[in-house]
């Protein structure tokens, strides 16, 4: 396996075309435009209900007049909760024909915690098997980063990409598998490859 220099950010579509979504948690939360322009701040801990209003994102029933936004917590220790599940410190929001799409922005190593939790019975697998899955899933994610760089998100949180379950950043079993293989990816003749895998 080859080793990367540092974890890039990966954009995970954790909710797609939902009629509504609830976001809580995080202090000193700020809303940014899709271009990164600060728009406004939000009161600490105020629950946010996301819906669409005339095709644009609405927060607590009031239109933001934006089709795409970024919601960020000012502290890396304050994770935003999507539908009562700790997810990430940054959530990108997109409006679409079917509803709101929520995209969690995570570093690649943190993302792997949720992939191992979603893809394998990590409480029963041997530690070496978990390490193997971490390297395989990292390799797959890296390739999706290259392939989908121009898209709104890199991967989905379902079997359409790799199953991702948020809220597992503090699990010691997952931590051992991810951290002991940190940055390692599969390659052939010096080139990374997708490392597709199947449940059976």
């Amino acid at each position: 396996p080859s080793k990367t220099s540092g974890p890039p950010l990966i954009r995970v579509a954790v909710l797609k075309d939902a009629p509504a979504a609830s976001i809580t948690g995080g202090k000193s939360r700020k809303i940014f435009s899709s271009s990164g322009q600060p728009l406004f701040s939000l009161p600490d801990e105020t629950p946010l209900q996301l819906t669409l209003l005339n095709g644009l994102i609405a927060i607590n029933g009031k239109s933001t007049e934006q089709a795409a936004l970024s919601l960020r917590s000012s502290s890396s220790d304050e994770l935003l909760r999507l539908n009562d599940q700790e997810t990430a410190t940054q959530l990108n929001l997109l409006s679409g024909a079917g509803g709101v799409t929520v995209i969690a922005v995570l570093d690649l190593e943190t993302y792997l915690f949720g992939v191992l939790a979603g893809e394998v019975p990590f409480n029963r697998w041997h530690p070496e098997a978990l390490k193997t899955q971490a390297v395989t899933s990292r390799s797959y994610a890296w390739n999706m980063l290259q392939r989908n760089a121009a898209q709104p998100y890199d991967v989905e949180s379902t079997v359409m990409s790799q199953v991702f379950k948020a809220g597992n950043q503090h699990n010691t079993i997952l931590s051992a598998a991810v951290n002991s293989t940190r940055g390692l990816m599969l390659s052939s003749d010096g080139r990374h490859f997708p490392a597709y895998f199947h449940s059976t």
Side-chain angles (χ1 to χ4, degrees):
S2 60
K3 196 162 188 174
T4 60
S5 58
L9 295 178
I10 188 166
R11 301 163 301 163
V12 187
V14 290
L15 192 66
K16 287 186 66 180
D17 295 326
S22 173
I23 296 177
T24 55
K27 294 181 179 179
S28 302
R29 296 168 296 177
K30 294 184 178 180
I31 291 282
F32 295 81
S33 69
S34 57
S35 63
Q37 180 76 21
L39 296 178
F40 52 89
S41 298
L42 298 162
D44 292 354
E45 303 296 338
T46 301
L48 309 177
Q49 295 297 322
L50 305 178
T51 54
L52 290 188
L53 189 61
N54 298 323
L56 301 174
I57 297 170
I59 296 178
N60 294 344
K62 183 178 180 180
S63 177
T64 62
E65 301 183 355
Q66 302 286 325
L69 292 171
S70 179
L71 175 61
R72 304 177 197 173
S73 174
S74 61
S75 171
S76 60
D77 297 328
E78 296 283 346
L79 294 177
L80 299 170
R81 301 177 69 89
L82 173 64
N83 294 337
D84 206 32
Q85 180 66 66
E86 282 190 342
T87 306
T89 58
Q90 178 178 336
L91 298 175
N92 293 342
L93 316 173
L94 298 177
S95 63
V100 179
T101 293
V102 181
I103 300 160
V105 181
L106 305 159
D107 74 62
L108 181 56
E109 299 301 314
T110 301
Y111 165 69
L112 291 176
F113 282 67
V115 171
L116 290 181
E119 284 286 353
V120 300
F122 64 89
N123 286 315
R124 301 197 307 270
W125 270 27
H126 191 282
E128 294 304 314
L130 286 176
K131 291 178 185 179
T132 301
Q133 184 65 52
V135 173
T136 301
S137 288
R138 186 182 291 108
S139 303
Y140 174 85
W142 179 263
N143 277 271
M144 294 304 102
L145 280 170
Q146 316 309 309
R147 179 180 297 183
N148 296 321
Q151 303 304 316
Y153 53 84
D154 303 302
V155 292
E156 298 187 32
S157 60
T158 68
V159 294
M160 294 302 293
S161 299
Q162 303 183 104
V163 177
F164 169 83
K165 290 186 178 179
N168 289 281
Q169 291 95 328
H170 306 297
N171 185 288
T172 56
I173 296 174
L174 301 176
S175 178
V178 173
N179 291 337
S180 63
T181 63
R182 190 174 185 85
L184 292 177
M185 293 188 292
L186 297 167
S187 63
S188 177
D189 294 327
R191 298 177 62 186
H192 296 106
F193 63 90
Y196 298 116
F197 60 93
H198 194 277
S199 62
T200 53

